[in-house]
Amino acid sequence: MKTEFSLAQLADPDIAEADKILRACVHCGFCTATCPTYVLLGDELDSPRGRIYLIKEMLEKDRPPTPEVVKHIDRCLSCLACMTTCPSGVNYMHLVDQARVRIEDEYLRPLTERMLRAALAYILPRPDLFRLSMILARFGRPLAALLPSPKTASAIPTLLQRIKAMLALAPRGLPQRGPAAGSVFPALGESRGRVALLQGCAQQVLAPRINQAAINLLTRHGIEVVLVKDEQCCGALTHHLGRDGDALERARANIGVWLAEAELNGLDAILITTSGCGTVIKDYGFMLREDRDFAGPAARISALARDITEYVDGIGLKRQRQHSDIVVAYHSACSLQHGQKITQLPKELLSKIGFVVKDVPESHLCCGSAGTYNILQPDIAGRLRDRKVANLAMVKPDMIAAGNIGCMVQIAGGTSVPVVHTIELLDWATGGPRPGLN
């Protein structure tokens, strides 16, 4: 794609990066076939190619974001299926992230939307506050059905639609808290390694059982696990809301505490059980590339980051139970298959350990969760969830496995089939308890 940025514009590292990304695009349109919003809506501007044109126009002419640009960028899930499909290697992720920052900085949204986005950005990264909000939401959930629905379709969801979506996603109850930050779990038997386990934000409130399963499996196989004290939210939630100042501050804080732990006691890896977080942490090196103090440390942390399945694949899992009667439909989270390019490994691990693993039709399409997307774009998210659940049902599973808490909550809202994390099944097969749902 031809670009016409001025030399002054190209002096900005972000614009220089955007120029490189835009020039890689050859207009082929392969991305449209795998873009969830284009598949649903059929609008060229709701495809990666269409959004690339909009972003190019905005950046090249240095114009403030228009309502049209904001509408179509907001509809993007950042599922990154386009990057998997693209034969030219266009890094759409870094381009749309830059567009979101520009929108957040320069576009004045309606007051109610600004308040909602500010609340999400403040509450979700803070587990104690998020837990309190979930407790309060339990009382509001029965009222969700009483909230009026819009009489006519709107390109932008109303505040009431978004509130209904939030209440619908709230769990009926919350589990007990998981282990505290600063906890260390010694290896059982001979020690073979030492890792930090990301504690997460929403996940530690909604499903602490996931990290507990990871701890059980790792220590059982001779790996010491530490929950690093003073660790923060990874920054993914605010990063995708265009609030890069907040996201980068969180990244710097985490880099500091993780490197301190690595230097004091040693770390083989930083393990992540939420693939949406993993995609961002693995990108810390890029995000902080222009930071004189943090560019090197950020790259080091990105190199240490591993999805939990990447790490357990190398420790030689010891099967203790055979589960050949359990059919598992594996849902490949977008952040894992498109963001981190981990596609076959989780299925292979489950299959080797004894489960019957079934491929799901349209496995490349997003379930509609996408961080806060299922709150901010509830109609599109709901349609994608229903499509995903229908595809999962086609393989008649006993359980659905996924590697991302957002996907798990989203899918569970549309099916009665148990939805569990991949690591829970691996823990079960190697001596742990049967996965529970609380």
Side-chain angles (χ1 to χ4, degrees):
M1 179 180 289
K2 182 182 178 182
T3 60
E4 297 180 351
F5 290 106
S6 69
L7 291 176
Q9 286 177 304
L10 291 172
D12 181 332
D14 288 332
I15 294 296
E17 181 67 23
D19 180 64
K20 183 173 70 174
I21 296 169
L22 290 166
R23 284 178 176 270
C25 180
V26 297
H27 315 263
C28 67
F30 286 3
C31 57
T32 60
T34 56
C35 174
T37 49
Y38 183 77
V39 169
L40 281 186
L41 306 174
D43 186 336
E44 173 74 12
L45 294 180
D46 282 315
S47 74
R49 183 171 62 180
R51 293 184 179 108
I52 285 171
Y53 281 121
L54 292 173
I55 295 169
K56 175 181 181 292
E57 184 83 357
M58 175 178 67
L59 296 180
E60 202 171 60
K61 297 185 178 178
D62 199 19
R63 292 175 174 170
T66 65
E68 184 78 352
V69 169
V70 173
K71 178 178 76 172
H72 294 292
I73 298 301
D74 281 355
R75 284 180 178 175
C76 175
L77 294 122
S78 282
C79 71
L80 310 181
C82 54
M83 288 179 59
T84 296
T85 310
C86 180
S88 303
V90 174
N91 196 318
Y92 177 81
M93 177 175 77
H94 291 157
L95 188 65
V96 78
D97 285 346
Q98 190 175 148
R100 288 201 170 104
V101 172
R102 177 70 68 100
I103 289 169
E104 180 65 20
D105 290 345
E106 299 185 8
Y107 183 76
L108 186 64
R109 297 180 185 273
L111 177 60
T112 55
E113 187 166 357
R114 297 202 306 273
M115 291 173 63
L116 174 62
R117 286 172 174 266
L120 292 173
Y122 190 80
I123 294 171
L124 290 176
R126 295 171 169 83
D128 288 341
L129 198 53
F130 180 60
R131 173 178 285 274
L132 176 61
S133 72
M134 289 297 95
I135 292 171
L136 295 175
R138 285 170 56 191
F139 297 101
R141 183 174 174 139
L143 304 176
L146 302 178
L147 293 175
S149 298
K151 295 180 180 179
T152 58
S154 173
I156 300 174
T158 65
L159 180 62
L160 284 180
Q161 284 177 289
R162 288 165 168 163
I163 290 174
K164 288 181 72 171
M166 283 193 290
L167 292 175
L169 288 166
R172 298 184 186 280
L174 291 176
Q176 295 295 316
R177 295 175 187 268
S183 300
V184 178
F185 301 88
L188 302 179
E190 182 182 355
S191 179
R192 300 167 57 199
R194 188 174 193 273
V195 300
L197 184 64
L198 180 76
Q199 294 153 71
C201 302
Q203 180 172 288
Q204 68 172 278
V205 174
L206 299 173
R209 68 178 199 270
I210 294 172
N211 271 5
Q212 187 61 61
I215 292 166
N216 293 345
L217 181 145
L218 290 166
T219 54
R220 190 184 304 125
H221 288 80
I223 309 299
E224 183 173 284
V225 180
V226 57
L227 306 181
V228 177
K229 191 175 177 60
D230 297 325
E231 179 186 282
Q232 296 191 20
C233 166
C234 70
L237 286 163
T238 49
H239 178 61
H240 293 308
L241 286 169
R243 296 171 176 250
D244 250 20
D246 179 274
L248 293 178
E249 282 305 306
R250 293 181 183 281
R252 292 185 186 100
N254 284 335
I255 290 166
V257 297
W258 286 334
L259 285 182
E261 181 66 36
E263 289 164 4
L264 183 64
N265 298 304
L267 287 177
D268 302 318
I270 298 166
L271 302 187
I272 304 147
T273 54
T274 304
S275 61
C277 302
T279 301
V280 168
I281 294 171
K282 288 182 176 182
D283 204 41
Y284 275 3
F286 175 84
M287 292 165 62
L288 289 163
R289 70 196 183 283
E290 298 296 326
D291 188 313
R292 183 185 307 171
D293 297 325
F294 280 88
R300 184 179 168 191
I301 290 299
S302 290
L304 279 173
R306 294 283 186 277
D307 182 74
I308 186 71
T309 56
E310 290 182 285
Y311 189 81
V312 301
D313 181 51
I315 63 176
L317 296 182
K318 302 171 185 176
R319 184 171 69 191
Q320 293 191 23
R321 297 190 181 99
Q322 177 70 29
H323 296 298
S324 57
D325 58 330
I326 303 292
V327 175
V328 175
Y330 175 71
H331 163 70
S332 190
C334 295
S335 45
L336 201 57
Q337 64 168 319
H338 303 309
Q340 300 182 50
K341 307 303 180 190
I342 299 172
T343 55
Q344 297 301 314
L345 180 58
K347 292 188 288 186
E348 290 172 358
L349 286 169
L350 290 169
S351 181
K352 287 177 183 177
I353 211 71
F355 295 98
V356 179
V357 182
K358 294 291 184 73
D359 286 323
V360 178
E362 294 188 330
S363 60
H364 63 283
L365 285 182
C366 185
C367 68
S369 173
T372 57
Y373 190 93
N374 51 4
I375 295 171
L376 297 174
Q377 299 287 335
D379 178 62
I380 296 174
R383 292 166 66 184
L384 287 171
R385 183 200 64 191
D386 293 345
R387 185 168 180 148
K388 178 63 68 176
V389 167
N391 280 320
L392 288 163
M394 289 178 69
V395 303
K396 297 180 172 57
D398 298 305
M399 290 186 173
I400 297 167
N404 188 61
I405 184 63
C407 301
M408 293 169 63
V409 171
Q410 175 80 346
I411 293 169
T415 180
S416 60
V417 178
V419 184
V420 299
H421 196 283
T422 306
I423 200 66
E424 293 183 272
L425 293 176
L426 297 176
D427 178 46
W428 183 25
T430 57
R434 182 186 178 97
L437 298 177
N438 52 43

